[in-house]
mmCIF file of all heavy atoms in Angstrom:
data_model
loop_
_atom_site.group_PDB
_atom_site.id
_atom_site.type_symbol
_atom_site.label_atom_id
_atom_site.label_comp_id
_atom_site.label_asym_id
_atom_site.label_seq_id
_atom_site.Cartn_x
_atom_site.Cartn_y
_atom_site.Cartn_z
ATOM 1 N N ILE A 11 56.152 10.465 -18.125
ATOM 2 C CA ILE A 11 56.331 9.870 -16.808
ATOM 3 C C ILE A 11 55.231 8.849 -16.545
ATOM 4 O O ILE A 11 54.226 8.809 -17.249
ATOM 5 C CB ILE A 11 56.351 10.950 -15.694
ATOM 6 C CG1 ILE A 11 55.045 11.739 -15.648
ATOM 7 C CG2 ILE A 11 57.529 11.891 -15.867
ATOM 8 C CD1 ILE A 11 54.971 12.761 -14.522
ATOM 9 N N SER A 12 55.419 8.041 -15.511
ATOM 10 C CA SER A 12 54.430 7.024 -15.155
ATOM 11 C C SER A 12 53.238 7.682 -14.450
ATOM 12 O O SER A 12 53.366 8.774 -13.888
ATOM 13 C CB SER A 12 55.063 5.992 -14.221
ATOM 14 O OG SER A 12 55.311 6.576 -12.953
ATOM 15 N N PRO A 13 52.087 7.020 -14.441
ATOM 16 C CA PRO A 13 50.944 7.559 -13.700
ATOM 17 C C PRO A 13 51.261 7.790 -12.214
ATOM 18 O O PRO A 13 50.840 8.800 -11.649
ATOM 19 C CB PRO A 13 49.860 6.496 -13.893
ATOM 20 C CG PRO A 13 50.193 5.897 -15.225
ATOM 21 C CD PRO A 13 51.699 5.858 -15.259
ATOM 22 N N LYS A 14 52.012 6.903 -11.602
ATOM 23 C CA LYS A 14 52.377 7.059 -10.191
ATOM 24 C C LYS A 14 53.207 8.331 -9.996
ATOM 25 O O LYS A 14 52.982 9.102 -9.062
ATOM 26 C CB LYS A 14 53.150 5.832 -9.710
ATOM 27 C CG LYS A 14 53.485 5.850 -8.246
ATOM 28 C CD LYS A 14 54.177 4.576 -7.814
ATOM 29 C CE LYS A 14 54.518 4.624 -6.336
ATOM 30 N NZ LYS A 14 55.188 3.402 -5.889
ATOM 31 N N ALA A 16 53.187 10.895 -12.006
ATOM 32 C CA ALA A 16 52.313 12.033 -12.337
ATOM 33 C C ALA A 16 51.521 12.479 -11.105
ATOM 34 O O ALA A 16 51.390 13.679 -10.846
ATOM 35 C CB ALA A 16 51.371 11.653 -13.474
ATOM 36 N N ILE A 17 51.005 11.531 -10.343
ATOM 37 C CA ILE A 17 50.264 11.868 -9.125
ATOM 38 C C ILE A 17 51.189 12.543 -8.113
ATOM 39 O O ILE A 17 50.824 13.546 -7.500
ATOM 40 C CB ILE A 17 49.590 10.610 -8.530
ATOM 41 C CG1 ILE A 17 48.455 10.156 -9.460
ATOM 42 C CG2 ILE A 17 49.062 10.879 -7.117
ATOM 43 C CD1 ILE A 17 47.868 8.801 -9.124
ATOM 44 N N GLN A 20 51.654 16.056 -9.161
ATOM 45 C CA GLN A 20 50.484 16.898 -8.882
ATOM 46 C C GLN A 20 50.524 17.424 -7.453
ATOM 47 O O GLN A 20 50.235 18.597 -7.210
ATOM 48 C CB GLN A 20 49.184 16.125 -9.125
ATOM 49 C CG GLN A 20 48.866 15.933 -10.578
ATOM 50 C CD GLN A 20 47.577 15.176 -10.795
ATOM 51 O OE1 GLN A 20 47.232 14.282 -10.021
ATOM 52 N NE2 GLN A 20 46.863 15.525 -11.853
ATOM 53 N N SER A 77 50.970 10.075 -26.017
ATOM 54 C CA SER A 77 51.858 9.112 -25.357
ATOM 55 C C SER A 77 51.400 8.693 -23.960
ATOM 56 O O SER A 77 51.908 7.719 -23.424
ATOM 57 C CB SER A 77 53.279 9.674 -25.275
ATOM 58 O OG SER A 77 53.290 10.887 -24.574
ATOM 59 N N PHE A 78 50.446 9.409 -23.355
ATOM 60 C CA PHE A 78 49.989 9.079 -22.008
ATOM 61 C C PHE A 78 48.590 8.481 -22.100
ATOM 62 O O PHE A 78 47.746 8.978 -22.842
ATOM 63 C CB PHE A 78 49.973 10.350 -21.135
ATOM 64 C CG PHE A 78 49.967 10.089 -19.657
ATOM 65 C CD1 PHE A 78 51.154 9.918 -18.972
ATOM 66 C CD2 PHE A 78 48.774 10.020 -18.951
ATOM 67 C CE1 PHE A 78 51.168 9.686 -17.599
ATOM 68 C CE2 PHE A 78 48.768 9.785 -17.581
ATOM 69 C CZ PHE A 78 49.971 9.621 -16.904
ATOM 70 N N PRO A 79 48.299 7.426 -21.332
ATOM 71 C CA PRO A 79 46.966 6.806 -21.401
ATOM 72 C C PRO A 79 45.887 7.697 -20.791
ATOM 73 O O PRO A 79 46.188 8.616 -20.032
ATOM 74 C CB PRO A 79 47.137 5.523 -20.568
ATOM 75 C CG PRO A 79 48.251 5.831 -19.621
ATOM 76 C CD PRO A 79 49.175 6.768 -20.357
ATOM 77 N N TYR A 80 44.624 7.407 -21.129
ATOM 78 C CA TYR A 80 43.516 8.121 -20.507
ATOM 79 C C TYR A 80 43.330 7.570 -19.102
ATOM 80 O O TYR A 80 43.004 6.402 -18.908
ATOM 81 C CB TYR A 80 42.213 7.963 -21.307
ATOM 82 C CG TYR A 80 41.066 8.598 -20.557
ATOM 83 C CD1 TYR A 80 40.934 9.978 -20.519
ATOM 84 C CD2 TYR A 80 40.173 7.825 -19.826
ATOM 85 C CE1 TYR A 80 39.919 10.582 -19.789
ATOM 86 C CE2 TYR A 80 39.157 8.414 -19.102
ATOM 87 C CZ TYR A 80 39.036 9.795 -19.087
ATOM 88 O OH TYR A 80 38.045 10.390 -18.347
ATOM 89 N N ILE A 81 43.553 8.434 -18.108
ATOM 90 C CA ILE A 81 43.346 8.078 -16.704
ATOM 91 C C ILE A 81 42.638 9.268 -16.047
ATOM 92 O O ILE A 81 43.198 10.367 -16.022
ATOM 93 C CB ILE A 81 44.687 7.795 -15.975
ATOM 94 C CG1 ILE A 81 45.436 6.640 -16.653
ATOM 95 C CG2 ILE A 81 44.446 7.501 -14.490
ATOM 96 C CD1 ILE A 81 46.851 6.428 -16.127
ATOM 97 N N PRO A 82 41.405 9.076 -15.544
ATOM 98 C CA PRO A 82 40.722 10.182 -14.884
ATOM 99 C C PRO A 82 41.607 10.784 -13.784
ATOM 100 O O PRO A 82 42.229 10.067 -13.007
ATOM 101 C CB PRO A 82 39.469 9.528 -14.288
ATOM 102 C CG PRO A 82 39.218 8.355 -15.192
ATOM 103 C CD PRO A 82 40.588 7.848 -15.567
ATOM 104 N N GLY A 83 41.687 12.108 -13.762
ATOM 105 C CA GLY A 83 42.515 12.801 -12.783
ATOM 106 C C GLY A 83 43.916 13.125 -13.277
ATOM 107 O O GLY A 83 44.650 13.865 -12.633
ATOM 108 N N LEU A 84 44.290 12.569 -14.436
ATOM 109 C CA LEU A 84 45.632 12.808 -14.991
ATOM 110 C C LEU A 84 45.553 13.328 -16.426
ATOM 111 O O LEU A 84 46.471 13.127 -17.231
ATOM 112 C CB LEU A 84 46.484 11.532 -14.929
ATOM 113 C CG LEU A 84 46.765 10.981 -13.531
ATOM 114 C CD1 LEU A 84 47.540 9.676 -13.613
ATOM 115 C CD2 LEU A 84 47.509 11.993 -12.686
ATOM 116 N N LEU A 85 44.478 14.030 -16.748
ATOM 117 C CA LEU A 85 44.257 14.501 -18.119
ATOM 118 C C LEU A 85 45.373 15.409 -18.635
ATOM 119 O O LEU A 85 45.740 15.340 -19.806
ATOM 120 C CB LEU A 85 42.914 15.240 -18.195
ATOM 121 C CG LEU A 85 42.452 15.655 -19.582
ATOM 122 C CD1 LEU A 85 42.185 14.423 -20.445
ATOM 123 C CD2 LEU A 85 41.200 16.504 -19.469
ATOM 124 N N SER A 86 45.928 16.232 -17.768
ATOM 125 C CA SER A 86 46.961 17.170 -18.243
ATOM 126 C C SER A 86 48.165 16.433 -18.818
ATOM 127 O O SER A 86 48.787 16.915 -19.766
ATOM 128 C CB SER A 86 47.390 18.129 -17.136
ATOM 129 O OG SER A 86 47.907 17.451 -16.033
ATOM 130 N N PHE A 87 48.498 15.271 -18.289
ATOM 131 C CA PHE A 87 49.662 14.534 -18.790
ATOM 132 C C PHE A 87 49.397 13.946 -20.173
ATOM 133 O O PHE A 87 50.318 13.707 -20.942
ATOM 134 C CB PHE A 87 50.078 13.452 -17.789
ATOM 135 C CG PHE A 87 50.552 14.057 -16.504
ATOM 136 C CD1 PHE A 87 49.669 14.261 -15.457
ATOM 137 C CD2 PHE A 87 51.855 14.477 -16.358
ATOM 138 C CE1 PHE A 87 50.086 14.863 -14.280
ATOM 139 C CE2 PHE A 87 52.290 15.081 -15.200
ATOM 140 C CZ PHE A 87 51.402 15.270 -14.155
ATOM 141 N N ARG A 88 48.149 13.767 -20.508
ATOM 142 C CA ARG A 88 47.761 13.269 -21.832
ATOM 143 C C ARG A 88 47.646 14.413 -22.844
ATOM 144 O O ARG A 88 48.054 14.281 -23.987
ATOM 145 C CB ARG A 88 46.425 12.536 -21.708
ATOM 146 C CG ARG A 88 45.893 11.940 -23.001
ATOM 147 C CD ARG A 88 44.631 11.150 -22.676
ATOM 148 N NE ARG A 88 43.953 10.635 -23.833
ATOM 149 C CZ ARG A 88 44.198 9.471 -24.415
ATOM 150 N NH1 ARG A 88 45.156 8.701 -23.957
ATOM 151 N NH2 ARG A 88 43.500 9.072 -25.454
ATOM 152 N N GLU A 89 47.085 15.560 -22.410
ATOM 153 C CA GLU A 89 46.742 16.630 -23.347
ATOM 154 C C GLU A 89 47.707 17.811 -23.378
ATOM 155 O O GLU A 89 47.795 18.508 -24.384
ATOM 156 C CB GLU A 89 45.325 17.126 -23.052
ATOM 157 C CG GLU A 89 44.270 16.060 -23.276
ATOM 158 C CD GLU A 89 42.854 16.574 -23.152
ATOM 159 O OE1 GLU A 89 42.650 17.754 -22.796
ATOM 160 O OE2 GLU A 89 41.931 15.782 -23.419
ATOM 161 N N HIS A 116 38.985 18.981 -8.461
ATOM 162 C CA HIS A 116 39.787 17.812 -8.814
ATOM 163 C C HIS A 116 40.240 17.181 -7.495
ATOM 164 O O HIS A 116 40.490 17.911 -6.530
ATOM 165 C CB HIS A 116 40.978 18.304 -9.645
ATOM 166 C CG HIS A 116 41.929 17.246 -10.078
ATOM 167 N ND1 HIS A 116 42.915 16.768 -9.254
ATOM 168 C CD2 HIS A 116 42.072 16.607 -11.264
ATOM 169 C CE1 HIS A 116 43.631 15.870 -9.913
ATOM 170 N NE2 HIS A 116 43.132 15.748 -11.131
ATOM 171 N N ARG A 118 42.961 16.233 -6.361
ATOM 172 C CA ARG A 118 44.228 16.797 -5.864
ATOM 173 C C ARG A 118 44.335 18.287 -6.178
ATOM 174 O O ARG A 118 45.402 18.866 -6.133
ATOM 175 C CB ARG A 118 45.408 16.008 -6.458
ATOM 176 C CG ARG A 118 45.476 14.585 -5.911
ATOM 177 C CD ARG A 118 46.509 13.727 -6.604
ATOM 178 N NE ARG A 118 46.193 13.398 -7.982
ATOM 179 C CZ ARG A 118 45.318 12.467 -8.377
ATOM 180 N NH1 ARG A 118 44.655 11.761 -7.474
ATOM 181 N NH2 ARG A 118 45.092 12.240 -9.655
ATOM 182 N N LEU A 142 34.460 15.254 -10.952
ATOM 183 C CA LEU A 142 35.363 14.251 -10.373
ATOM 184 C C LEU A 142 35.193 14.142 -8.860
ATOM 185 O O LEU A 142 35.430 13.089 -8.282
ATOM 186 C CB LEU A 142 36.827 14.609 -10.661
ATOM 187 C CG LEU A 142 37.336 14.391 -12.075
ATOM 188 C CD1 LEU A 142 38.786 14.845 -12.194
ATOM 189 C CD2 LEU A 142 37.213 12.933 -12.478
#
Side-chain angles (χ1 to χ4, degrees):
I11 61 177
S12 70
K14 184 177 179 180
I17 291 170
Q20 286 180 326
S77 58
F78 199 87
Y80 174 75
I81 300 172
L84 298 176
L85 187 65
S86 59
F87 295 92
R88 181 175 174 88
E89 296 187 355
H116 179 278
R118 292 173 291 282
L142 286 178

